[in-house]
Amino acid sequence: MKIKRLVSIGLAVCLTLVFSATAFAATPSTSTSTSVSAANVSPLYPSPNPPPPGYVGWAIVTAQPSMIVRSGPGSNYSNIGTVLYGDSVYCYSVDSNEWAYIGNGGYVSAYYLIKQ
């Protein structure tokens, strides 16, 4: 009985680590570390200052607990990963429909990003 319980706990810990790790990160050679302040972002709602179309630069994820990274610029594209609340992502471009290309074939909704 104790062995079953230890195996169950070990499996739960492993799954937690696997699913809590950032599955997708696109960062240029220079990385910055920025935290999101509760004073300027409500994690349950869209960003008050999303990057505008044409924006290139760093942005912080405001979706909580995470945001889906898609294979194309739209919710109809397949899910290829996630980025976590508070993560910094580099936007290589933001299109007129407010989808940000973050590299490696990944797109996120700019609606849930706050530009740095």
Side-chain angles (χ1 to χ4, degrees):
M1 200 60 156
K2 287 184 180 184
I3 292 175
K4 280 186 177 180
R5 186 161 190 217
L6 287 174
V7 170
S8 296
I9 291 171
L11 182 59
V13 169
C14 288
L15 289 174
T16 301
L17 291 174
V18 167
F19 288 111
S20 66
T22 302
F24 185 89
T27 56
S29 60
T30 305
S31 178
T32 61
S33 177
T34 306
S35 63
V36 177
S37 168
N40 63 6
V41 173
S42 174
L44 302 176
Y45 299 101
S47 169
N49 188 22
Y55 178 78
V56 174
W58 289 97
I60 301 171
V61 176
T62 63
Q64 188 179 21
S66 63
M67 178 167 53
I68 296 171
V69 177
R70 298 198 177 268
S71 62
S75 59
N76 56 320
Y77 288 88
S78 62
N79 175 348
I80 61 171
T82 58
V83 288
L84 300 175
Y85 170 73
D87 281 354
S88 290
V89 295
Y90 191 82
C91 300
Y92 291 93
S93 65
V94 177
D95 69 18
S96 60
N97 293 321
E98 296 186 355
W99 283 90
Y101 176 66
I102 60 170
N104 296 330
Y107 292 81
V108 295
S109 172
Y111 201 55
Y112 294 96
L113 296 174
I114 188 168
K115 64 183 184 176
Q116 291 181 294

